[in-house]
């Protein structure tokens, strides 16, 4: 082989080797750059950002907790609503209920003073346009007639007069929800400590209502011949 041809062959092989080495260096530098850029993007990405396709599914516990907190919905305030009015939890009892969970009982009747009632009959009083029936008795009609034939007498009118003479235009105390009412209300009334319904039953001027606690008193008056069960008091 000639020396010139040998030198030329050696030179060509050196050039090819140099080109191959340069290509490997270029390829290595590009990969390193891509890895550097990927690391920078990961470091600057927001905590709650969704991972891109192809990213690894695993992550640290700290990063998982940070993402969960950043994406959790904000809890509504328990102290007030948007209009400034305090809200009430659904399981808090309403004010209409007592502490034991029972509904508050309606207000009981209270003694109220009523001035100078008008006696309509032995059992019904009137205060202007308001009428009140005494509890526990059956009012005696004014036109009731008592006694046997030939000795009859207007016992209904006498019963009314007896109650009117007892009251003598004085005020009475009645158990009511309010001093204003409509139609006719039935309740207990007293003159001082004297229950008016009981007084009528005990003196025989009114019959006891069915189931009334005054039944025994009315029966005792009947057996004693008092009031409606006796003779005409005008003959005495």
């Amino acid at each position: 082989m000639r020396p010139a041809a040998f030198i030329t062959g050696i030179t060509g092989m050196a050039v090819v080797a140099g080109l191959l080495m340069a290509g490997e260096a270029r390829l290595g530098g590009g990969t390193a750059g891509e890895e550097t850029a990927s690391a920078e993007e990961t470091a600057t990405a927001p905590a709650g950002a969704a991972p891109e396709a192809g990213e690894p599914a695993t992550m640290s516990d700290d990063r998982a907790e940070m993402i969960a907190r950043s994406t959790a919905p904000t809890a509504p305030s328990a102290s007030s609503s948007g209009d400034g009015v305090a809200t009430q939890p659904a399981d808090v009892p309403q004010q209409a209920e007592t502490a034991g969970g029972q509904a508050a009982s309606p207000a009981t009747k209270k003694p109220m003073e009523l001035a100078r009632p008008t006696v309509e009959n032995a059992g019904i009083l009137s205060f202007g346009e308001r009428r009140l029936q005494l509890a526990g008795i059956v009012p005696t009609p004014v036109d009731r007639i008592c006694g046997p034939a030939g000795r009859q007498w207007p016992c209904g009118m006498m019963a009314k007069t007896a109650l009117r003479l007892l009251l003598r235009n004085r005020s009475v105390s009645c158990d009511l929800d309010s001093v204003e009412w409509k139609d006719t209300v039935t309740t207990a009334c007293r003159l001082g400590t004297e229950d008016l319904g009981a007084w009528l039953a005990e003196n025989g001027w009114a019959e006891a209502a069915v189931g009334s606690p005054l039944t025994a008193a009315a029966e005792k008056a009947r057996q004693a011949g008092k009031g409606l069960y006796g003779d005409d008091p005008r003959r005495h």
Side-chain angles (χ1 to χ4, degrees):
M1 179 180 295
R2 295 178 180 180
F6 179 77
I7 294 173
T8 302
I10 294 295
T11 303
M13 294 176 63
V15 171
V16 171
L19 292 174
L20 290 175
M21 292 178 63
E24 289 180 358
R26 181 175 298 178
L27 290 175
T31 302
E34 290 176 0
E35 291 178 355
T36 303
S38 177
E40 292 176 354
E41 290 174 359
T42 302
T44 57
E52 297 291 340
E55 286 191 9
T58 59
M59 64 180 66
S60 65
D61 292 340
D62 292 340
R63 178 170 174 78
E65 182 179 351
M66 181 173 59
I67 293 175
R69 288 182 177 181
S70 64
T71 58
T74 303
S77 173
S79 60
S80 63
S81 59
D83 55 2
V85 180
T87 59
Q88 184 176 18
D91 57 347
V92 175
Q94 300 297 318
Q95 293 181 355
E97 297 181 352
T98 62
Q102 299 295 328
S105 58
T108 57
K109 294 182 179 181
K110 300 178 181 179
M112 297 186 182
E113 185 174 348
L114 301 176
R116 298 182 295 276
T118 300
V119 177
E120 292 196 7
N121 60 35
I124 294 181
L125 308 178
S126 63
F127 305 85
E129 297 180 353
R130 296 167 295 165
R131 300 173 75 245
L132 184 150
Q133 178 175 325
L134 299 175
I137 62 169
V138 177
T140 303
V142 177
D143 58 356
R144 178 170 175 174
I145 302 298
C146 298
R151 298 182 61 181
Q152 294 179 339
W153 58 284
C155 58
M157 182 60 70
M158 293 300 297
K160 172 184 175 180
T161 301
L163 180 57
R164 184 171 57 82
L165 292 177
L166 173 68
L167 295 179
R168 288 183 295 174
N169 208 32
R170 290 178 290 181
S171 299
V172 296
S173 175
C174 300
D175 298 333
L176 297 165
D177 294 324
S178 170
V179 294
E180 299 294 335
W181 70 86
K182 296 181 180 180
D183 301 325
T184 300
V185 64
T186 300
T187 191
C189 291
R190 293 164 297 278
L191 178 66
T193 59
E194 184 76 64
D195 183 270
L196 299 183
W199 185 87
L200 289 172
E202 291 168 357
N203 288 276
W205 292 121
E207 297 175 351
V210 177
S212 169
L214 301 177
T215 299
E219 177 60 21
K220 185 176 180 179
R222 188 188 69 80
Q223 293 179 359
K226 293 183 178 181
L228 306 176
Y229 312 106
D231 295 331
D232 187 348
R234 297 173 299 177
R235 297 179 182 271
H236 297 168

